[in-house]
Amino acid sequence: TVVPLRLALLSTLLAAVLTLPGGAQEEVKLADNALYQAALRALQGEQPGIAAQRLNELLASLKKDDPNRPEIIIRMGEAHVRDDDAEMAIEILSDPAIAKLDEAIYWTAAAQVASGRLKDAADSLALLADSKDPHLKNLAAIGRARLLASLGNLTEAAAVLVTVEASGEEKPVQEA
């Protein structure tokens, strides 16, 4: 009878601590967050340095387990790519919490291109061949084919383009 009483007391104390003002930090809603929205406006307005600053401020204010961290880290990587700071982007995007996410892989490849690491970028884009997002998958395939062709690997580039044509999605080809 002592053990169940201790468990009940412990769960009551935990519940009380978690409901204290300032005791538990609420999850950030990005759609309502002023810093995040300012960062997105800065990215859209071609001010990636400002976007990176806002995202860094926001990231510093979040708990380590906030579910929005991956999205914010990816946007930070994107901002650094757009700000011509490829090495910082690669460092940010190598965060284990996001490194295997499709969008992080895409921006990592963009940073690798910007830093002249074309083979690495082609290898990164190859990881998106199984992406569930058909648009991203085809965009990555077209980018990879271009990189392979620029590296002199025309046979492999042509084979990659065949997969894009077979997908039937035309928009990425028009965008590329």
Side-chain angles (χ1 to χ4, degrees):
T1 60
V2 174
V3 172
L5 184 59
R6 283 184 186 168
L7 288 175
L9 181 59
L10 181 58
S11 65
T12 303
L13 287 173
L14 283 175
V17 167
L18 292 177
T19 58
L20 288 175
Q25 188 175 359
E26 280 189 42
E27 178 181 315
V28 173
K29 293 182 178 148
L30 294 180
D32 300 329
N33 185 279
L35 278 175
Y36 185 73
Q37 294 306 314
L40 291 183
R41 283 191 302 277
L43 272 176
Q44 292 167 349
E46 298 182 20
Q47 299 173 314
I50 292 171
Q53 290 172 352
R54 298 296 175 264
L55 292 164
N56 196 38
E57 290 171 36
L58 178 56
L59 194 61
S61 73
L62 298 179
K63 293 188 324 180
K64 293 285 185 202
D65 63 347
D66 189 296
N68 294 303
R69 287 181 76 79
E71 172 67 18
I72 295 164
I73 294 168
I74 289 170
R75 291 297 139 252
M76 280 180 63
E78 175 187 355
H80 283 286
V81 168
R82 292 178 186 270
D83 200 31
D84 296 323
D85 192 355
E87 293 309 315
M88 178 58 79
I90 290 169
E91 183 179 327
I92 289 167
L93 294 166
S94 68
D95 183 318
I98 63 149
K100 293 185 180 183
L101 297 176
D102 286 356
E103 201 172 354
I105 293 168
Y106 175 82
W107 285 109
T108 297
Q112 290 166 330
V113 168
S115 66
R117 296 167 41 196
L118 303 184
K119 171 82 169 81
D120 291 340
D123 292 345
S124 292
L125 290 174
L127 298 173
L128 297 175
D130 295 326
S131 176
K132 290 181 173 65
D133 179 345
H135 179 74
L136 182 61
K137 178 180 179 174
N138 285 340
L139 200 57
I142 292 166
R144 181 168 181 248
R146 287 181 171 178
L147 289 168
L148 290 169
S150 71
L151 292 168
N153 194 341
L154 299 179
T155 304
E156 190 174 354
V160 170
L161 287 176
V162 167
T163 66
V164 173
E165 186 177 26
S167 76
E169 187 170 310
E170 295 178 26
K171 192 173 182 182
V173 174
Q174 293 168 355
E175 289 177 1

